[in-house]
Amino acid sequence: MTALGMLTVEKQGRHRYHRLATASVAHMLESIMQVAAELEPNRKRFVVGPRDAALRKARTCYDHFAGRLGVALADALIEHGHLELTSEAGILTDAGMMFLNEIGIDTGPMLARRTKRSGRVLCRPCLDWSERRLHLAGLVGSAICTHSFEAGWTRQLDGTRAVLITPKGERVFREKFGLRIS
């Protein structure tokens, strides 16, 4: 399917992610799925990613947020002009730097660490395995995650990577980022 141009392959570290190449390929597959659903309506539905609702909503991916929370944060930062993110790279804008400072994240140490040979980029995309969309990794993604835990916006659920968004966090994510995570 890759040779025919129906799929594209995206490398991320040691992983390779296959993606539908065009909207027309997606429409074709959706049509096939519709026919299959009509032929066997009682068939068990296929779920991609974690079955645990808490993991699907919010979790950590190494040291940054993933799940619906991680994707929504990346989308909001892009929408407000704080971040530019492609499948290959990410750029934190000047407005993004000011925004991080406004919400209480000191960008000075982050920028200083980036200039040293730490090998860690300021921001980069990370493909979310439950949402199948990009969330934010790198120093910026890590800083937002760490700050959210320290400020009491989120807390880690014991024994899992699932993250609970606290009532304070719901308010902050709604008011500062423009998010509504269901």
Side-chain angles (χ1 to χ4, degrees), residues 38-60:
E38 290 171 4
L39 294 176
E40 284 200 49
N42 296 328
R43 189 174 189 176
K44 188 176 173 183
R45 297 197 49 87
F46 181 71
V47 176
V48 176
R51 294 185 190 282
D52 182 353
L55 281 174
R56 291 183 84 82
K57 181 176 182 180
R59 67 180 176 279
T60 54

Side-chain angles (χ1 to χ4, degrees), residues 19-163:
R19 179 174 31 175
L20 300 178
T22 65
S24 59
V25 174
H27 292 299
M28 176 190 67
L29 289 176
E30 287 170 355
S31 297
I32 292 170
M33 290 167 49
Q34 180 65 37
V35 170
E38 290 171 4
L39 294 176
E40 284 200 49
N42 296 328
R43 189 174 189 176
K44 188 176 173 183
R45 297 197 49 87
F46 181 71
V47 176
V48 176
R51 294 185 190 282
D52 182 353
L55 281 174
R56 291 183 84 82
K57 181 176 182 180
R59 67 180 176 279
T60 54
C61 174
Y62 300 100
D63 63 352
H64 55 273
F65 287 129
R68 287 194 306 274
L69 173 62
V71 168
L73 284 169
D75 288 347
L77 291 168
I78 292 166
E79 183 180 322
H80 292 100
H82 302 310
L83 176 70
E84 295 175 19
L85 197 62
T86 69
S87 62
E88 302 294 320
I91 297 171
L92 185 66
T93 65
D94 290 340
M97 287 289 203
M98 289 191 307
F99 175 73
L100 292 179
N101 285 315
E102 287 171 13
I103 64 170
I105 297 174
D106 183 7
T107 57
M110 189 183 338
L111 292 174
R113 182 172 172 205
R114 178 190 58 127
T115 59
K116 295 179 182 168
R117 297 181 185 256
S118 69
R120 185 111 191 246
V121 296
L122 191 59
C123 60
R124 69 170 183 80
C126 187
L127 184 63
D128 195 279
W129 52 270
S130 64
E131 298 299 306
R132 309 313 284 167
R133 297 189 42 235
L134 299 176
H135 60 256
L136 178 62
L139 290 171
V140 175
S142 176
I144 292 171
C145 183
T146 299
H147 184 70
S148 296
F149 284 128
E150 290 172 354
W153 304 346
T154 56
R155 68 178 175 82
Q156 194 88 42
L157 295 176
D158 291 334
T160 179
R161 292 186 309 129
V163 171

